[in-house]
Amino acid sequence: MESIPYGRQNITPADIEAVVAVLRSDFLTQGPVVPAFERAVADRVDARHAVALNSATSALHAACLAMGLKAGDMLWTSPISFVASANCALYCGARVDFVDIDRETFNLCPEALARKLEQAEDTSSLPKVVVVVHMTGQPCNLSAIHALSRRYGFRIIEDASHAIGARYRERPIGNCEFSDAVVFSFHPVKIITTGEGGMVLTNDPEIARKVALFRSHGITRDAQRMVHQPDGPWYYEQLELGYNYRMTDIQAALGLSQLQRLDESVEARHRLAERYDELLAGLPVSVPVQRSEGRSAFHLYVVRLQLERIDRSRREVFEAMRADDIGVNVHYIPIYAQPYHERMGVRRADFPQAEAYYREAISIPMFPTLSSAQQDRVVRSLRNALAP
Ligand SMILES: *Cc1c(COP(=O)(O)O)cnc(C)c1O
């Protein structure tokens, strides 16, 4: 039987034509398509500025640099995320710490954040930046976290790698109403893809300018920003230690074409989620709870095994489904449990919700072209795995 992955890109003939058109054009990179893609995403999500980069990982790094994160500073994030949400702090020489998750949404818990901030204030170890993650595509409780940022003076980056196309309080994720910057990923398993790619959205022109500077070697061609008088028309200046984090026009063309189907593909994900909810009712698993103030992009569909009701471990259920060629996955191993991060001495016992989540979670296949027949196969496999 063919195997069903947990996520997969959807490439149409129009996508391919858009990419080929760039390949036939004068510019493969640094041409007109990257700015067009940036403008289109900014308009789509109601943000003032957009800067495209070669990955969300680079975007997180550049956003942290633009906020002045450096040695001696602290960044907090959710332990239930991809490692990139935390590594951006370490790239800047800053330290990272974690805030436990909310039981139902798997997002950074505002109450846990409030408690930790109170303690950090007493020991003068407040974070400079908090990276919140819209886990699985479901928006965090942004207004509560934003209120805390006002009180304690930290900056907020939304890691919205799962959440382009999601909405919070009737507005698109990406509008930066409750944050300083939002980051999207365009990796092929995400909602829309550019092959590899990412973007920083912000309403702050200084953050946008700095991210653009860090994206391309710290070099400017803007005479207004230069330290010296230009020697001539060839002249440019390096003002910061930047990187080559640029997106190509080939990638941007794919992204621009994919963006046309964003609503359609989030709709398809919702239909699949509703169907999973129905098919899984009555099984000893918890299906994802949806909060009314947000609308998820449903990047992932995570079930939690009710381990007290079954005599199978998560590993046994996982392996049984893999044996049926169902591409189940676990998102994510708590970041603090990774050997590289373990050295920093985080105590697992401080994160009871993340620990419980990690014992129980399985991501089952979720992508717009998943057919009903395939979905039935996933559910059959899960049912058999739970009660063999
Ligand atoms: C995928 C992902 C990233 C990294 O995205 P890339 O574009 O692959 O660098 C960061 N954070 C989260 C939550 C992700 O899912």
Side-chain angles (χ1 to χ4, degrees):
M1 234 182 309
E2 39 96 62
S3 71
I4 306 173
Y6 83 85
R8 122 170 269 280
Q9 71 277 15
N10 179 18
I11 302 292
T12 64
D15 292 342
I16 294 168
E17 270 171 43
V19 171
V20 169
V22 171
L23 291 172
R24 293 190 201 283
S25 77
D26 291 336
F27 297 100
L28 301 188
T29 191
Q30 297 177 286
V33 190
V34 168
F37 181 43
E38 291 171 336
R39 199 61 259 152
V41 176
D43 289 347
R44 179 66 181 64
V45 303
D46 274 351
R48 265 184 230 130
H49 308 279
V51 184
L53 297 98
N54 59 2
S55 71
T57 303
S58 313
L60 287 163
H61 182 197
C64 286
L65 288 172
M67 290 175 194
L69 194 73
K70 58 181 187 313
D73 291 336
M74 180 66 95
L75 175 149
W76 290 0
T77 189
S78 168
I80 299 298
S81 184
F82 186 56
V83 292
S85 308
N87 288 345
C88 54
L90 308 180
Y91 296 151
C92 301
R95 283 173 305 151
V96 65
D97 199 356
F98 302 93
V99 180
D100 205 5
I101 60 167
D102 173 75
R103 228 192 76 74
E104 288 194 332
T105 60
F106 327 143
N107 283 329
L108 186 143
C109 171
E111 289 77 31
L113 177 61
R115 281 194 300 275
K116 198 175 170 94
L117 286 165
E118 218 172 286
Q119 291 164 2
E121 192 174 41
D122 291 342
T123 57
S124 299
S125 54
L126 286 167
K128 183 166 193 168
V129 174
V130 173
V131 174
V132 300
V133 183
H134 302 308
M135 179 63 190
T136 74
Q138 171 152 237
C140 291
N141 185 341
L142 284 169
S143 78
I145 296 165
H146 183 253
L148 290 168
S149 80
R150 285 298 166 89
R151 177 152 164 215
Y152 291 96
F154 57 84
R155 303 268 218 156
I156 300 174
I157 300 175
E158 296 172 57
D159 181 345
S161 293
H162 300 181
I164 190 169
R167 299 178 77 80
Y168 178 73
R169 297 193 171 171
E170 311 302 327
R171 290 191 67 199
I173 285 292
N175 72 61
C176 305
E177 182 179 347
F178 297 102
S179 66
D180 299 284
V182 174
V183 167
F184 292 136
S185 170
F186 306 124
H187 182 277
V189 297
K190 308 292 164 74
I191 308 281
I192 64 171
T193 188
T194 59
E196 295 276 4
M199 197 174 277
V200 175
L201 287 297
T202 182
N203 292 333
D204 179 338
E206 269 305 287
I207 291 178
R209 187 181 68 77
K210 287 184 179 158
V211 169
L213 206 59
F214 286 116
R215 165 176 68 178
S216 200
H217 309 281
I219 283 173
T220 186
R221 291 177 183 278
D222 178 355
Q224 307 289 319
R225 302 274 172 194
M226 288 181 185
V227 174
H228 304 294
Q229 282 295 324
D231 289 341
W234 61 86
Y235 189 76
Y236 56 82
E237 280 186 352
Q238 182 189 346
L239 301 176
E240 299 277 358
L241 182 61
Y243 301 83
N244 181 350
Y245 278 174
R246 292 188 302 266
M247 176 182 281
T248 66
D249 281 48
I250 305 168
Q251 293 168 308
L254 179 55
L256 200 50
S257 180
Q258 292 253 314
L259 187 65
Q260 315 306 313
R261 298 195 306 282
L262 176 59
D263 286 335
E264 207 179 292
S265 91
V266 171
E267 275 302 317
R269 289 169 180 274
H270 271 267
R271 282 196 299 275
L272 290 166
E274 280 161 28
R275 191 154 183 273
Y276 267 141
D277 290 350
E278 284 165 22
L279 295 171
L280 298 174
L283 291 184
V285 298
S286 305
V287 299
V289 174
Q290 297 301 299
R291 286 277 161 77
S292 58
E293 63 176 4
R295 177 176 161 80
S296 181
F298 266 115
H299 164 53
L300 299 172
Y301 189 94
V302 175
V303 296
R304 289 180 67 162
L305 306 183
Q306 295 171 354
L307 292 171
E308 68 291 350
R309 292 180 58 197
I310 57 177
D311 58 0
R312 282 278 172 277
S313 68
R314 192 263 308 271
R315 179 172 178 163
E316 286 167 320
V317 173
F318 188 99
E319 286 178 341
M321 293 186 76
R322 278 283 177 93
D324 287 343
D325 275 331
I326 311 292
V328 285
N329 221 313
V330 173
H331 299 95
Y332 295 91
I333 304 160
I335 300 173
Y336 54 68
Q338 295 293 347
Y340 190 84
H341 289 270
E342 230 173 2
R343 304 178 304 171
M344 307 187 202
V346 169
R347 290 183 316 172
R348 295 182 79 134
D350 290 343
F351 306 94
Q353 293 302 338
E355 290 291 305
Y357 172 87
Y358 179 57
R359 278 193 297 277
E360 302 164 1
I362 297 184
S363 305
I364 62 177
M366 168 56 88
F367 50 92
T369 54
L370 184 71
S371 69
S372 296
Q374 287 176 317
Q375 212 181 3
D376 291 341
R377 227 183 93 198
V378 173
V379 172
R380 223 164 27 242
S381 172
L382 176 57
R383 180 178 291 124
N384 290 338
L386 291 167

